[in-house]
Amino acid sequence: MPAQALTERIIGWRRSLHKIPELGFQEHQTSAFVESRLREIGLTEIRTGVARTGVVATIRAGAGGNDGAVLLRADMDALPVQEVEGREYGSETPGKMHACGHDGHMAMLLGAATLLHERKDSLKQDVVLCFQPAEEGAGGGREMVEGGELDLTGVSRAFAIHLWSLYPAGTVHTRPGPIMAAQDEFTAWFRGRGGHGAAPHNARDPIVAASLGVVALQTVVSRFVDPLSPAVATVGSMHGGSACNIIPEVTELIGTLRSFDPDVRLLLRHRVEEAFAGAARSAGCELEFEVRPGYPAVVNDAESATIAGSVAGRLFGKEKVFETPPLAASEDFAYFLQKVPGAFILLGAGNEERGITAPHHSPQFDIDESALPKGAELLAALAME
Ligand SMILES: [Zn+2]
Ligand SMILES: [Zn+2]
């Protein structure tokens, strides 16, 4: 297919998907759309309903010498965000929007499927095209990889591209080692004894305990974590009490922990609980603490990151390829990279001149669609490498 025709198709697919955003594990229309397009392209080995709403297709190597497969992954879910009005191909579902670019990820992977199907006679390895549901927090990647529905035994390398509106369209950014953070959420309940605000000595004040806890938390990263290892501990919510003259029974803190090193991740959980426990004790209160583990860090294999950089340089020019600093966001491609070597790659999709600068997850979020055919080409080239 001529490049121009494919570009138009990829953009058309993205716009169609943009109109039908679905949240994690509810991607039924999306999954049907992906399956039909794969069949139109000519693929026949397609599994649907993988990890509930995922789609996995395989393209068999035509060139023999088959030693392992390459997996290419696109995520499928949208977000509970109300899109700004007035877009020609805007979301047709109130309150839901592809505000992270996953519509573009699917379109790019369909584009790569087109290219790889055309080139299958010169493919030296099988290619697994993985459309994964529920990236935005619900753990679709974990369900696919650890639920046993996606067998990674034959896979020798895995790649995923994430469009990035904060980088200029068409630029490619990756790095060896950790590229996105591990994320854990915590809740701490400081339990005291309620009483009259004018007689604090007869009560045990959990607001004071929780306040000391917030202050003690500030020493965790600054005093216990190696300064060369990035980490964040943030309290994002603090709730307790109902009136000026009542000491409440309980005060609740909710927060997030971010890190890149698995040891630092464990240390954060442990030290935050210790800091809170000490604060609670000193105020005569008791602590209940709960951690809800989020995604692990996305850790790129060094060789795969180098391959990604050099393939991108060959396709688009070395001046378009950058080493990104690690980002404190998190991504469930992490689970794939815990099993097989590979790389997570950011593809710039911003354009200041055209006003495409809104951050991911915002109602104004958009992408410069000129990045889409580039992403398709890069994915296909990585699978041919
Ligand atoms: Zn997102
Ligand atoms: Zn995303």
Side-chain angles (χ1 to χ4, degrees), residues 186-188 190 216-217 220 257 266-281 287-291:
F186 66 79
T187 303
F190 292 81
L217 176 85
V220 171
L257 308 174
L266 293 177
L267 180 139
L268 282 182
R269 291 179 187 170
H270 168 67
R271 278 291 161 192
V272 168
E273 183 173 6
E274 285 284 294
F276 286 169
R281 239 185 344 264
L287 177 77
E288 192 187 328
F289 185 73
E290 178 188 286
V291 173

Side-chain angles (χ1 to χ4, degrees), residues 78-97:
L79 287 157
V81 171
Q82 177 67 45
E83 184 163 19
V84 285
E85 284 182 27
R87 283 186 180 161
E88 182 199 328
Y89 49 87
S91 165
E92 290 175 353
T93 311
K96 292 180 194 167
M97 176 192 173

Side-chain angles (χ1 to χ4, degrees), residues 75 100-102 105 135-136 162 164 331 360-361:
D75 39 12
C100 200
H102 301 182
H105 301 170
E135 189 285 321
E136 298 284 1
H162 205 301
W164 211 248
E331 235 282 352
H360 290 250
H361 294 201

